[in-house]
Amino acid sequence: MSIWVIAEQKDGKLKKVSLELLSLSKKLKEKTNQDIGCVLLGDNLESFTQTLGNYGADKLFLIEDQALQNYSNEVYSQAIADLVKEHSPKIILGGATAQGKDLLPLVAAKLDAGLAIDCLDIEIDENSKLICTRPMYAGKVKVKCTLESSIQIASLRPNVLEVLPPDTSKQAEVVKVKPRIDPNSLKVKLLEVKKEARGKIDLTEADVIVSGGRAMKSAENFKLLEDLAEALGQATTVGASRAAVDSGFAPHDIQVGQTGKVVNPNLYIACGISGAIQHLAGMITSKCIVAINKDPEAPIFQKADYGVVGDLYKILPILTDIVKKLKAQE
Amino acid sequence: MNIIICIKQVPDTETKIQIKPDSSGIVTEGIKYVVNPYDEYAVEEGVKIKEKFGGEVTVISLGPERAKEAIRTCLAVGADKGIHLNDPAFEGSDSYATAKILAKAISQIPFDIVLTGKQGVDFDNSQVFAYLSRFLDIPFVSVVVGLELSSDLKSATAKREGEGGDKEIIQVQLPAIIAAQKDLNQPRYASLPGIMKAKKKEIKNLSLSDLGLSPDEVGLKGSRVKIENYSQPPERKAGRIIEGEEPAEVCEKLVKLLREEAKII
Ligand SMILES: Cc1cc2nc3c(=O)[nH]c(=O)nc-3n(C[C@H](O)[C@H](O)[C@H](O)COP(=O)(O)OP(=O)(O)OC[C@H]3O[C@@H](n4cnc5c(N)ncnc54)[C@H](O)[C@@H]3O)c2cc1C
Ligand SMILES: Nc1ncnc2c1ncn2[C@@H]1O[C@H](COP(=O)(O)O)[C@@H](O)[C@H]1O
């Protein structure tokens, strides 16, 4: 028996959630003594072998083909489903990333399996039944659920579980797989990927997010947020409230909230955001929340770890300066 | 074009959700229900397709009696017909069972395109369209923010939100399922004549026996995900307001706290 992790890479970089999933699988393995299979799809994947082995993969299936260079739910799900039918793992775990949210439901559908999506934690009992903890109603409720199908599939929210230290002596047995793809049978074709010029990491994977609300007043003023984000370091990016997006100050893909992205950074800085329930739904699980708002009665202060009452136009440039100086000293 | 739109009635996003004392579910009394926000984009897109290419828009919803209101709301903004999948046996269906029931109903009528929302804001599952795609054996594109049908109506070009703001341009053969994301369009408001007309439009009820499904295939029995218990996550408490005479002083304090107390920068 084995537990499978669907790892994810993009443009030569492994997603951190893949390591979170391997770490989780090691814990599940301890309890049930199943080995860990890891599946990676794409083209030219050899460079990931070392890392995935070190972090816990016993067996590594590299599904390689030029046709897999770009993601498509149709081909990716077929390649995974074929491999699953051949090897019969009973547990499949993946990341609740942009890709995972599109891919895993189709994998589940093709395998006639149940799927618990966006889990905050995944445990296992002695009968190898998964117990998945996941949010519902925009995080207002948490449920524990189990899966009533011979194959159990769950996806894990990025940034929630820890990555256990690697064991550099551990290697994975590598199995190369050629997917069966009949180009004539495909109904979905990727014509083009329009790269976002910002080139920032996805909000769902960011460590630090600086967000702006209606008070930003224009797209230009978002520069203030970008400057602070940049000063704060690597995996940082900028977010927005719906009011800011609907007013045209920011693109929709950076909206945080119930009808935007659910984010889970270490630090979330809300600037000129009042803290409506739909916004909170998207960021309430951030490890630390800072609110900058000129209204001391703004509801966001009820949820923030640190609050600054004041004008963001005065605060942000000073804050950015101080952070820059601090980082420069290091 | 025969356009099918799957819509779900869900609690209003403002609603405070309470758990039953025995943790077996949520308290449903006092909840205000609305059309799932993402499904409103699906409905608008369907109506726009009809306006451009002609055809008929059918909204279909699985839910208890109250779900009729949601169907009526969609009829008021331009959908032509409603189908209400309404049977106590359906209660407790997860995404898998829901898709099975929807697929049965949809396959009884002609369809060229099926529109759904990208997510129901109640269970936050984002799965129904995927299971539906398997049961109907047609492809799906999710998180769609732009849609263009080819002039021969044999295919569509969808713009979907990839990660980090990247946009994937995808050509898909019809019939297909398109799962709408917020940016797809600007849903219209119902007009008074629209609301009046909606009252006369047909809403057809379909039950288990109409669909030829067995009781084991639907509801809790036909579900793949079993919810064992519900709990309320702990409320996040207010932290502290950082005081200071000057912005500079406050900022210094904040940075110090983030570094030394929270240890995150
Ligand atoms: C179905 C539905 C879904 C929704 N989904 C989302 C969602 O996903 N995400 C989301 O964010 N919202 C969502 N909303 C909208 C939500 O209800 C709020 O309207 C929205 O979050 C408000 O955005 P805001 O805080 O930027 O604006 P406002 O509520 O207008 O707040 C602006 C804040 O800026 C402060 N301010 C003004 N000037 C300054 C200054 N110079 N310096 C410092 N502070 C200043 C003000 O004190 C105020 O608190 C949704 C609503 C509905 C009905
Ligand atoms: N009970 C239902 N009736 C009709 N459509 C539904 C139902 N449940 C889900 N859907 C559709 O499937 C989409 C995704 O829902 P979900 O998988 O539950 O997040 C929704 O936006 C709806 O379009």
Side-chain angles (χ1 to χ4, degrees), chain A residues 283-311:
Chain A
M283 43 64 82
I284 197 79
T285 59
S286 305
K287 273 150 219 128
C288 177
I289 297 172
V290 172
I292 303 173
N293 197 304
K294 69 176 184 191
D295 173 10
E297 302 297 322
I300 188 84
F301 287 124
Q302 294 306 311
K303 304 292 170 193
D305 300 286
Y306 303 111
V308 174
V309 179
D311 182 354

Side-chain angles (χ1 to χ4, degrees), chain A residues 213-214 241-242 255-259 272 274 278-279 293 311-312:
Chain A
R214 196 193 307 275
S241 75
R242 178 164 177 167
Q255 180 181 316
V256 172
Q258 191 156 18
T259 44
S274 59
Q278 297 94 345
H279 188 81
N293 197 304
D311 182 354
L312 70 90

Side-chain angles (χ1 to χ4, degrees), chain A residues 15 102 112 202 255 306 330, chain B residues 142 163-164 182 259 261:
Chain A
K15 295 266 145 168
D102 189 59
D112 215 40
D202 200 80
Q255 180 181 316
Y306 303 111
E330 281 160 11
Chain B
S142 71
E163 68 177 63
K182 178 188 161 229
R259 169 149 288 212
E261 189 177 82

Side-chain angles (χ1 to χ4, degrees), chain B residues 6-8 36 38-39 60-63 95 98 102 115-120 122-129:
Chain B
C6 301
I7 66 126
K8 187 174 195 188
N36 180 37
Y38 293 110
D39 301 353
I60 174 162
S61 188
L62 185 157
S95 301
T98 299
L102 288 170
L115 293 150
T116 74
K118 72 136 204 169
Q119 180 177 344
D122 50 355
F123 305 157
D124 296 328
N125 271 331
S126 295
Q127 293 172 21
V128 163
F129 45 81

Side-chain angles (χ1 to χ4, degrees), chain B residues 194-264:
Chain B
I195 295 167
M196 297 312 288
K197 261 198 242 160
K199 292 194 175 141
K200 294 196 206 86
K201 288 180 183 169
E202 180 199 353
I203 299 179
K204 193 159 129 193
N205 257 304
L206 291 180
S207 63
L208 190 65
S209 56
D210 297 320
L211 296 175
L213 285 164
S214 86
D216 288 350
E217 291 176 283
V218 302
L220 286 173
K221 271 203 186 127
S223 290
R224 290 280 189 266
V225 179
K226 191 169 153 218
I227 298 180
E228 306 286 348
N229 74 69
Y230 290 71
S231 63
Q232 209 109 40
E235 280 267 332
R236 204 175 173 119
K237 292 200 183 65
R240 68 173 105 148
I241 300 289
I242 299 165
E243 311 281 352
E245 292 294 315
E246 289 294 319
E249 185 193 342
V250 174
C251 289
E252 288 283 0
K253 279 190 190 164
L254 174 64
V255 169
K256 198 165 160 17
L257 284 166
L258 289 176
R259 169 149 288 212
E260 288 165 16
E261 189 177 82
K263 298 194 171 54
I264 38 177

Side-chain angles (χ1 to χ4, degrees), chain A residues 28-328:
Chain A
L28 304 183
K29 176 179 169 176
E30 265 169 34
K31 194 136 185 214
T32 54
N33 211 8
Q34 313 194 43
D35 63 340
I36 302 173
C38 180
V39 183
L40 189 65
L41 300 96
D43 201 13
N44 297 323
L45 300 172
E46 218 129 310
S47 58
F48 299 105
T49 312
Q50 185 75 25
T51 310
L52 293 169
N54 290 169
Y55 279 90
D58 296 310
K59 210 172 196 170
L60 175 58
F61 298 94
L62 298 180
I63 313 186
E64 292 180 309
D65 195 286
Q66 242 196 322
L68 298 178
Q69 198 168 16
N70 281 311
Y71 167 72
S72 143
N73 65 17
E74 191 180 33
V75 237
Y76 270 49
S77 65
Q78 198 54 54
I80 295 171
D82 285 345
L83 198 65
V84 168
K85 282 178 188 154
E86 201 181 316
H87 296 268
S88 320
K90 294 291 178 233
I91 293 175
I92 302 172
L93 307 175
T97 54
Q99 180 178 308
K101 283 185 184 161
D102 189 59
L103 174 62
L104 291 167
L106 193 51
V107 170
K110 288 195 167 145
L111 297 170
D112 215 40
L115 163 65
I117 190 184
D118 210 18
C119 296
L120 305 171
D121 196 14
I122 300 170
E123 299 157 290
I124 199 161
D125 73 7
E126 45 294 336
N127 304 318
S128 291
K129 220 170 170 35
L130 294 181
I131 302 142
C132 305
T133 305
R134 60 173 303 258
M136 292 202 325
Y137 299 94
K140 291 174 198 169
V141 166
K142 256 199 227 174
V143 300
K144 274 196 199 290
C145 57
T146 53
L147 298 158
E148 305 287 317
S149 48
S150 67
I151 300 174
Q152 308 173 69
I153 309 184
S155 69
L156 180 72
R157 181 177 287 189
N159 274 349
V160 179
L161 297 186
E162 58 172 346
V163 176
L164 299 176
D167 170 358
T168 46
S169 66
K170 189 175 178 325
Q171 308 275 336
E173 176 198 339
V174 177
V175 183
K176 292 222 173 186
V177 184
K178 225 17 200 168
R180 287 188 298 271
I181 300 167
D182 169 13
N184 296 318
S185 72
L186 299 182
K187 293 175 178 165
V188 177
K189 193 167 134 201
L190 179 73
L191 300 179
E192 189 192 350
V193 179
K194 290 196 176 151
K195 289 266 171 201
E196 166 57 52
R198 278 175 291 130
K200 287 274 167 62
I201 68 163
D202 200 80
L203 268 87
T204 53
E205 295 166 49
D207 285 336
V208 177
I209 297 173
V210 185
S211 264
R214 196 193 307 275
M216 296 313 296
K217 288 194 256 174
S218 72
E220 289 72 46
N221 287 337
F222 264 69
K223 180 86 174 46
L224 292 169
L225 307 174
E226 276 156 26
D227 288 347
L228 177 58
E230 208 179 292
L232 282 163
Q234 289 280 318
T236 63
T237 194
V238 169
S241 75
R242 178 164 177 167
V245 169
D246 288 354
S247 311
F249 310 158
H252 170 255
D253 63 81
I254 67 166
Q255 180 181 316
V256 172
Q258 191 156 18
T259 44
K261 295 222 156 89
V262 176
V263 301
N264 199 27
N266 290 328
L267 174 60
Y268 188 89
I269 306 183
C271 309
I273 294 176
S274 59
I277 189 163
Q278 297 94 345
H279 188 81
L280 296 176
M283 43 64 82
I284 197 79
T285 59
S286 305
K287 273 150 219 128
C288 177
I289 297 172
V290 172
I292 303 173
N293 197 304
K294 69 176 184 191
D295 173 10
E297 302 297 322
I300 188 84
F301 287 124
Q302 294 306 311
K303 304 292 170 193
D305 300 286
Y306 303 111
V308 174
V309 179
D311 182 354
L312 70 90
Y313 294 94
K314 291 209 182 94
I315 309 272
L316 280 176
I318 300 174
L319 193 56
T320 305
D321 256 4
I322 296 174
V323 172
K324 266 192 197 153
K325 280 195 196 116
L326 189 73
K327 296 271 174 181

Side-chain angles (χ1 to χ4, degrees), chain B residues 76-93:
Chain B
V77 288
D80 301 296
K81 281 187 189 169
I83 296 178
H84 187 186
L85 302 168
N86 184 6
D87 192 315
F90 298 155
E91 224 169 277
S93 296

